[in-house]
């Protein structure tokens, strides 16, 4: 609990309100006249939707980022992506470091909650987040500049490099080309740099900490091992599935060489895990390819990263738990360690609540939105999961959403970024106080 003006607030409420404050500040800035290009108009919902999408590092937009917003508006979007990707508590800690002020215990506990840390001894990961994220984005911007400078000159080349380095690392999905990265489908250098930035941002900072400390301690935590192995399996499976369903992007054989189609397939296996940068319209994908993309968007990246979704560790843990149950094993083990029951319960609850929220959202969207006559359920399902997974890939219905549809998509983006537990605990006023009694235990039939 934190006391503000004699009112006590839980950590999840503070985090939820913190993100809302950032979104509303972004909305105000994007509503300013000089944030919009001459000849364009920005109403409140357009600014609100864009600010939510940028803060929740999603990338779904109602207007063109390249042609609707001025340089000021684009800078605001870039700042929102950075704050949303790294978390506003990270920036609060950064301010404390800059003014050399000692953090209060309440701030330390709030930061622990925001970054999904098990205990305060892990709080030094905040310093790693600040240094590592800035270093990776700076390096990414420099590498991107080598490609952008010959095309756009010095000024535009610098800005494009900064913006897209932030967008890729924060897995935000915003671009300044109006067609994502389609202009660079035949540019292996650009795709490789972006892929590295996307993976770096989606790994999670605790994972980065373990990797960087491995030469010193020669061990990886259970979280890091599960995240890395699950991520590796998902990547290999994704490449194989897309090679099968899209036949090495045979539909683009007239535009891309064989080797570039392989690279684009690999890039496509990375981006649905909440990055949102694409090299061709996903309306060109097969039905099987779209279905598999929905699965990847739902899974997302690693906890404590810039990515969204239910997270790789959740899926990895539940997969191991399912195999253990089917084999009749009592414990769920991995890497010579046993998962706690609380871990398993939280993963199951997270998966159930995520599916419930998505199903209700899809039902309401399907009933209230003006959708294409053919495959309308596929369109609305893809859009809803893309919002929840903070992926930002769309089949083109975002701009046709009515007010209710926009609010639902914004809610899904917010829940996907802030976290289901944080938002639900805030809404339900969850308390950790334990009852001093328990009811008798009894079983029911399952399956």
């Amino acid at each position: 609990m934190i006391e503000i003006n004699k009112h006590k607030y839980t950590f999840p409420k503070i985090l939820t309100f913190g993100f809302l404050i950032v979104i509303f500040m972004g909305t105000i800035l994007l509503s300013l006249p000089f944030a919009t290009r001459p000849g364009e108009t920005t109403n409140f919902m357009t600014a609100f939707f864009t600010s939510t999408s940028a803060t929740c590092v999603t990338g779904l937009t109602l207007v063109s980022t390249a042609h609707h917003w001025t340089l000021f508006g684009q800078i605001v979007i870039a700042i929102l992506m950075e704050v949303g990707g790294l978390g506003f508590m990270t920036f609060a800690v950064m301010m404390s470091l800059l003014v050399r002020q000692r953090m209060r215990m309440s701030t330390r506990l709030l930061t622990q909650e925001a970054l999904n840390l098990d205990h305060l001894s892990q709080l030094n990961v905040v310093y790693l987040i600040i240094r590592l994220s800035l270093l990776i984005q700076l390096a990414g911007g420099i590498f991107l500049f080598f490609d952008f400078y010959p095309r756009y000159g010095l000024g535009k080349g610098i800005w494009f490099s900064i913006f897209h380095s932030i967008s890729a690392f924060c897995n935000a999905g915003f671009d300044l080309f109006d067609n994502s990265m389609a202009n660079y489908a035949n540019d292996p250098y650009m795709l490789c740099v972006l892929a590295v930035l996307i993976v770096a941002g989606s790994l999670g900072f605790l994972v980065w900490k373990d990797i960087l400390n491995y030469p010193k301690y020669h061990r990886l935590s259970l979280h890091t091992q599960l995240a890395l192995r699950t991520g590796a399996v998902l990547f290999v499976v994704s490449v194989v599935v897309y090679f099968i369903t899209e036949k090495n992007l045979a539909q683009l054989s007239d535009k891309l060489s064989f080797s570039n189609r392989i690279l684009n397939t690999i890039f496509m296996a990375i981006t649905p895990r909440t990055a949102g940068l694409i090299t061709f319209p996903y309306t060109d994908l097969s039905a099987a390819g779209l279905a598999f993309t929905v699965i990847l968007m739902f899974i997302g990246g690693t906890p404590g990263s810039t990515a969204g979704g239910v997270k790789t560790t959740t899926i990895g843990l539940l997969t191991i738990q399912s195999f253990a149950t089917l084999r009749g094993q009592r414990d769920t083990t991995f890497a010579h360690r046993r998962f706690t029951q609380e871990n398993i319960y939280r993963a199951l609850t997270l998966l159930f609540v995520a599916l419930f929220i998505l199903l209700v959202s899809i039902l309401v969207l399907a009933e209230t939105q003006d959708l294409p006559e053919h495959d309308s359920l596929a369109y609305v399902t893809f859009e809803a999961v893309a919002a929840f997974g903070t992926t930002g890939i769309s089949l083109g219905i975002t701009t046709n959403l009515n007010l209710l549809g926009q609010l639902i998509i914004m809610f899904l983006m917010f829940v996907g970024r802030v976290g289901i537990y944080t938002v639900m605990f805030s809404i339900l006023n969850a308390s950790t106080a334990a009852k001093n009694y328990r009811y008798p235990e009894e079983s029911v039939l399952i399956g």
Side-chain angles (χ1 to χ4, degrees):
M1 288 278 190
I2 295 179
E3 187 172 326
I4 303 176
N5 293 330
K6 298 182 179 180
H7 294 284
K8 291 185 177 181
Y9 298 93
T10 61
F11 293 139
K13 271 190 177 179
I14 295 293
L15 293 174
T16 302
F17 291 150
F19 267 95
L20 287 174
I21 290 170
V22 172
I23 289 171
F24 282 118
M25 288 175 62
T27 302
I28 293 171
L29 292 173
L30 290 175
S31 298
L32 297 174
F34 46 84
T36 306
R37 290 183 184 274
E40 303 285 346
T41 57
T42 302
N43 57 36
F44 174 79
M45 277 307 299
T46 299
F48 192 20
F49 191 96
T50 304
S51 180
T52 303
S53 183
T55 306
C56 298
V57 290
T58 305
L60 293 174
T61 58
L62 300 176
V63 294
S64 167
T65 307
H67 299 131
H68 183 87
W69 305 108
T70 61
L71 176 61
F72 173 81
Q74 293 171 3
I75 291 174
V76 171
I77 291 172
I79 293 173
L80 291 174
M81 288 190 296
E82 192 76 69
V83 175
L86 302 186
F88 75 93
M89 280 309 302
T90 302
F91 285 86
V93 173
M94 186 188 297
M95 292 301 105
S96 297
L97 293 175
L98 289 176
V99 299
R100 298 184 181 279
Q101 180 181 358
R102 184 178 176 84
M103 281 192 294
R104 297 169 58 184
M105 180 55 69
S106 59
T107 305
R108 293 167 65 87
L109 291 171
L110 187 56
T111 306
Q112 176 189 353
E113 180 80 19
L115 298 177
N116 296 316
L117 305 179
D118 291 331
H119 41 78
L120 284 174
S121 63
Q122 293 177 313
L123 202 61
N124 58 357
V125 75
V126 177
Y127 308 106
L128 174 68
I129 291 174
I130 296 170
R131 294 195 301 267
L132 186 64
S133 60
L134 293 179
L135 179 63
I136 292 175
Q137 290 176 84
L138 176 62
I142 292 173
F143 281 110
L144 291 176
F145 179 74
F146 293 142
D147 202 315
F148 284 136
Y149 172 64
R151 299 170 187 261
Y152 302 107
L154 181 62
K156 209 170 185 180
I158 291 175
W159 173 235
F160 277 27
S161 301
I162 294 172
F163 187 93
H164 292 96
S165 181
I166 293 173
S167 181
F169 178 77
C170 292
N171 283 217
F174 280 84
D175 68 274
L176 298 177
F177 304 112
D178 211 22
N179 60 355
S180 197
M181 306 309 295
N183 297 339
Y184 298 88
N186 279 303
D187 189 340
Y189 175 84
M190 174 67 71
L191 296 186
C192 288
V193 174
L194 291 175
V196 170
L197 285 168
I198 291 167
V199 172
S202 65
L203 270 183
F205 296 106
L206 284 178
V207 173
W208 270 113
K209 180 187 175 186
D210 271 4
I211 292 174
L212 294 175
N213 286 335
Y214 185 78
K216 181 178 180 181
Y217 299 108
H218 300 289
R219 66 177 298 274
L220 296 174
S221 67
L222 183 64
H223 165 79
T224 297
Q225 292 187 63
L226 181 62
L228 290 177
R229 293 190 192 184
T230 305
V233 169
L234 282 172
F235 172 70
V236 173
V237 170
S238 299
V239 172
V240 172
V241 169
Y242 279 131
F243 267 120
I244 295 172
T245 62
E246 308 312 311
K247 301 175 178 60
N248 193 27
L249 296 177
Q251 65 270 42
L252 301 177
S253 58
D254 58 329
K255 301 177 182 178
L256 302 175
S257 65
F258 180 79
S259 59
N260 278 340
R261 280 187 283 136
I262 292 177
L263 182 58
N264 276 261
T265 301
I266 295 173
F267 189 76
M268 182 171 60
I270 295 172
T271 53
R273 303 268 302 287
T274 86
L277 296 173
I278 59 176
T279 56
F280 62 91
Y282 269 52
T283 49
D284 292 342
L285 282 186
S286 64
L290 287 176
F292 187 69
T293 302
V294 168
I295 295 173
L296 291 180
M297 293 191 298
F298 179 74
I299 294 173
T302 306
S305 71
T306 60
V310 295
K311 305 298 191 298
T312 54
T313 50
T314 302
I315 298 302
L317 189 155
L318 292 179
T319 301
I320 296 170
Q321 164 68 22
S322 298
F323 277 112
T325 301
L326 293 174
R327 289 177 176 177
Q329 296 175 351
R330 177 177 157 184
D331 297 326
T332 305
T333 59
F334 176 78
H336 307 293
R337 292 291 185 272
R338 175 165 49 93
F339 291 111
T340 65
Q341 285 300 309
E342 182 184 0
N343 256 166
I344 297 170
Y345 294 153
R346 285 178 67 91
L348 287 169
T349 303
L350 176 64
L351 185 65
F352 173 79
V353 175
L355 288 172
F356 179 79
I357 290 174
L358 278 172
L359 289 174
V360 172
S361 300
I362 291 168
L363 176 63
V364 176
L365 287 171
E367 178 63 26
T368 60
Q369 303 306 301
D370 183 17
L371 301 170
E373 293 183 5
H374 301 288
D375 301 321
S376 56
L377 182 59
Y379 276 84
V380 74
T381 300
F382 196 95
E383 190 82 6
V385 178
F388 172 77
T390 69
T391 307
I393 303 174
S394 176
L395 296 182
I397 68 171
T398 310
T399 54
N400 298 324
L401 296 171
N402 59 28
L403 178 60
L404 178 60
Q406 292 173 15
L407 291 174
I408 291 174
I409 293 299
M410 288 163 63
F411 173 75
L412 289 173
M413 290 190 290
F414 186 78
V415 171
R417 177 63 191 102
V418 179
I420 287 178
Y421 276 114
T422 301
V423 175
M424 291 298 104
F425 283 176
S426 302
I427 295 174
L428 301 175
N429 289 315
S431 173
T432 57
K435 295 180 179 179
N436 56 4
Y437 63 89
R438 297 177 73 184
Y439 290 110
E441 187 176 68
E442 188 174 342
S443 299
V444 297
L445 296 177
I446 299 294

